[in-house]
Amino acid sequence: MTTRPPARAFSRLRSPRPGTTCGSMLGALFLVFGLFCAGVATPPALAAAAQTAAAPIKDAPKDVDKTQQSDTANSGLGWNAVSASISRQLDDSAAVLKQVFATLNRKDVNTGNNELDGLSAQVQKVQQNTQDAVTQIQSYDSITESFLKILGPKAADNEDASVTAQRQRMQQNSQSVKSALMRAKLYNLQAQQLNTAINARRTRLQHAALSERTVSPLAPRFWNTLLTERAENRYSLHAGGVLSDWLYLLIGCAITFATIGLSSPLILRLLKRCGAHFRPATEDSVKEALSGSIIAITLNGALEALLATLVWFIWAAAALPDGGGPIGAIIGETVPVCGFIIGAGLPIFGRSGVLAQGNPGERKALRGVDWILAISVLLLDLLRAFQAQDAFGQTLQLLLEIAFSVAIGLCAVDTFRRLGNQNDTRGFAPSALGVSSLLLAVTVISILLGYVAFAFTLNGWLLSLGTGVAIVTLLGLCWRDVLDRLFSEGGFFSLRLVQLGLTQRRLSQIGVILSGLGNVLLLLLLFSIAQTDGSFSVADITNRLWLLFVGNTIHGVKISLDTVVLAIVLLVVAYYAIRQTRGWLRDRFFPTTRLDIGSRTSILSIFTYCAWILVGLGILSIAGVSVQNLTWVVSALSVGIGFGLQSIVQNFVSGVILMAERPVRVGDMVEIAGTRGDVKRISIRATDIGLSDGSTMIVPNSQFITTSIKNATLSGATGVLTLTFKIPLTTDPEKAKAMLLEVAAHRDEVLATPSPKVRVSAIADDSLTMTLSVALISARDGGSVQDAILFDVFRRFHAEDVAITTA
């Protein structure tokens, strides 16, 4: 289906008579600009479309097909340019979903955890692709609807045939866009449902495996079955079996571990010569020695992990066909962890390690723990690989899992028993010994009752979790120590950054933020390790960590770590951008205007609130939250407003009114509920009023709207002071009036215009009441000026022996 370009359709809204070419060209250019803002057309396509629209229509040859002209102008522009690729993308997504659905519903083959993980990764990818497709198609849908609004739903009288044809093509395009949008949303929903089904299937498999009961090793049938499986077990070790290269695999593991053991002291000595800080502990400074040597310990572990990986892959490429198959791949993924454990354990438990001089008893109690832990991790992954590949018969597999579970429990009990005899570890060793003994008892009882899978899973998960906690803690301490050294005051890195204009306080804040981010990533790594159910496969851990970053879409809202990080970055950038803009307005722009302080404060407040509202909408857009997703939020807010949020909403609306109408501004002197003070700040909820005693009264904004407020400075900065006096009847009134005016004229705070006035307000039997009214420069000077005038009046009248009192 071909269509004329939108620019040509807009230019033909009028008949192509001479004199209308300029108007149609401008219309086309505006339309092309709108397409560019919507992200539909690329700059080369826009240039071609603009050039085509600018060409006079009357110059086109009459024998050229109009449809061909439209196709030429429309190349690379509009829905037709991307509809084919989007359709192929949706077809591929449909094929993947169909394949995943068929795999989940197979009845002849049981789907394992590894296969479920692969299916989950495919569904997650389809879900992300369809969500991106929905976003892309929606933009074309809005543009097509805009064209149809311009062209109108029906043909007008005497309408040009080209406009009618263009409307028909746009309607066809609209149907095609809506159909593709419906397909994308449908596939996205199906992907969500399949992901839920996969998670439910995985949960059922885990529960079934934990609750599966087999023959107890105490029963003779267990050992009879083991003898009958001899042929099956031997087949795995011969040609064509999973472990046909078992001898080379064993030799490769031995060479790798031997290389780790022999090279670790050399690497540690090299690190010391290169300046790595390492010091053995004394009897009183074991913790300080560990803290001071944490970087050297971590570097030695990282280098050993790298060396172990290199040695194994060289051996696998040289001696093992196909890299040793799936078993070789599992070993290759686990030896980095084993190398790190042994490499980090030597600086701690070695002969010249941290514990060598500080507490030889602890070193003796923990001797060989690093090697036992590394070999246990490797055996755990191998046993899981044997189970996934059906390397042995079921009974032999159960026997290996029994031996592994009991050995792990015995090693833990023996280690904590030896630590219980040391002074420094007596605080936690007895408790740890009790817990490990309980776990050993649970393991033995479970095995005797036939719940071997439960015992193996429990010990394997605790082993991987404990190892993960140790590794993550070591990496976290190393990261913090590195940041402390980088951003410490007087350090090499800090001095260079200070020269660039950063303060030491800012460097400390950067160090704390980076330390927090590193701890968050390490916690996510630990969470990924805990999710693997005891496996220390690097690929499995990386896949689960990646799923945490990619996330999932729940009820139309995308929840993922990258979305959270992007939202946090947007908040931080927006905070500094808004603060810098406020500073520029306050310090650079407002001083060049005639705005008073109240107007400036209102503009800054309104700008700040509007900017944060836009930032909030941007974050919601990043998360994919739409109006439909917020329906329940609006409903909850409406119920909350009806029950208990009336005052909050009332104060909010009143704050908006105060900032817009400005009946009260910052700097005004107001009197509310008998209290007088200066307005210091107007926020969206309340207003701060500074009182004469230095305190601050916080008044809800609704009181400024619903009650009477006296604003002494609203009409101007001047104030009026009125004082009333009583003088004896024997005193000459003219003389008293002259003395009062004389006192007022000598005060600098009193304005000459309007001039002070003295009036007689009352006459009594023994006194005459006179009122002095003066205009002040500032209404805030009323109290001090009143005191000064009263003092001057008393002194002046006392000099004339005239008794005067205030009324």
Side-chain angles (χ1 to χ4, degrees), residues 241-296:
V242 179
L243 293 174
S244 58
D245 300 320
W246 65 272
L247 182 60
Y248 294 98
L249 291 172
L250 184 61
I251 294 175
C253 291
I255 293 175
T256 302
F257 277 87
T259 304
I260 296 173
L262 294 175
S263 62
S264 186
L266 300 177
I267 294 177
L268 184 59
R269 190 176 304 172
L270 180 63
L271 289 175
K272 293 179 181 179
R273 291 185 178 181
C274 293
H277 186 68
F278 179 82
R279 59 177 183 178
T282 61
E283 293 184 359
D284 300 329
S285 62
V286 177
K287 294 183 179 179
E288 290 77 3
L290 282 172
S291 177
S293 309
I294 200 69
I295 295 180

Side-chain angles (χ1 to χ4, degrees), residues 134-425:
V134 167
T135 304
Q136 185 179 8
I137 297 172
Q138 284 177 344
S139 62
Y140 287 101
D141 187 30
S142 60
I143 293 174
T144 306
E145 293 295 331
S146 300
F147 273 110
L148 291 176
K149 289 181 180 179
I150 295 174
L151 296 174
K154 297 180 180 179
D157 297 336
N158 300 325
E159 184 180 69
D160 190 85
S162 61
V163 177
T164 304
Q166 184 68 18
R167 181 186 297 105
Q168 295 176 354
R169 296 188 182 93
M170 282 298 163
Q171 291 174 349
Q172 294 176 358
N173 279 351
S174 177
Q175 295 177 357
S176 176
V177 170
K178 292 185 182 300
S179 175
L181 182 61
M182 182 182 66
R183 287 184 62 196
K185 290 182 177 180
L186 178 62
Y187 294 157
N188 185 266
L189 180 61
Q190 291 178 352
Q192 296 179 21
Q193 295 175 345
L194 282 177
N195 194 21
T196 303
I198 291 174
N199 293 331
R201 180 74 63 85
R202 185 186 289 111
T203 303
R204 288 198 301 269
L205 285 177
Q206 293 174 354
H207 292 171
L210 293 177
S211 60
E212 181 183 3
R213 185 176 182 181
T214 58
V215 180
S216 173
L218 297 178
R221 190 176 60 169
F222 180 88
W223 304 101
N224 292 332
T225 307
L226 180 63
L227 295 176
T228 58
E229 292 177 351
R230 185 176 301 175
E232 180 181 354
N233 297 330
R234 288 181 177 179
Y235 173 76
S236 299
L237 303 176
H238 291 79
V242 179
L243 293 174
S244 58
D245 300 320
W246 65 272
L247 182 60
Y248 294 98
L249 291 172
L250 184 61
I251 294 175
C253 291
I255 293 175
T256 302
F257 277 87
T259 304
I260 296 173
L262 294 175
S263 62
S264 186
L266 300 177
I267 294 177
L268 184 59
R269 190 176 304 172
L270 180 63
L271 289 175
K272 293 179 181 179
R273 291 185 178 181
C274 293
H277 186 68
F278 179 82
R279 59 177 183 178
T282 61
E283 293 184 359
D284 300 329
S285 62
V286 177
K287 294 183 179 179
E288 290 77 3
L290 282 172
S291 177
S293 309
I294 200 69
I295 295 180
I297 295 171
T298 308
L299 285 177
N300 195 66
L303 292 176
E304 287 296 339
L306 181 63
L307 180 62
T309 305
L310 183 63
V311 170
W312 171 258
F313 279 105
I314 291 176
W315 173 261
L320 296 174
D322 299 330
I327 305 300
I330 291 296
I331 297 176
E333 293 175 357
T334 310
V335 289
V337 180
C338 300
F340 184 86
I341 294 172
I342 298 174
L346 178 67
I348 301 176
F349 310 116
R351 293 181 178 178
S352 58
V354 174
L355 299 179
Q357 299 179 8
N359 194 331
E362 288 184 9
R363 174 182 174 272
K364 183 179 180 180
L366 296 173
R367 181 185 301 172
V369 170
D370 49 348
W371 283 87
I372 293 174
L373 192 61
I375 295 175
S376 299
V377 169
L378 179 61
L379 291 177
L380 175 64
D381 284 348
L382 285 177
L383 288 176
R384 292 191 175 276
F386 294 159
Q387 185 180 17
Q389 299 296 327
D390 292 330
F392 302 114
Q394 182 179 5
T395 308
L396 180 58
Q397 179 72 30
L398 291 176
L399 183 61
L400 294 176
E401 292 177 359
I402 291 172
F404 176 82
S405 302
V406 174
I408 292 296
L410 291 175
C411 289
V413 170
D414 182 63
T415 301
F416 290 118
R417 181 187 59 80
R418 288 181 292 175
L419 286 176
N421 298 325
Q422 307 300 318
N423 295 327
D424 295 339
T425 57

Side-chain angles (χ1 to χ4, degrees), residues 79-92 136:
W79 168 251
N80 291 334
V82 297
S83 60
S85 62
I86 292 179
S87 179
R88 287 194 299 269
Q89 181 181 353
L90 294 178
D91 291 340
D92 295 339
Q136 185 179 8

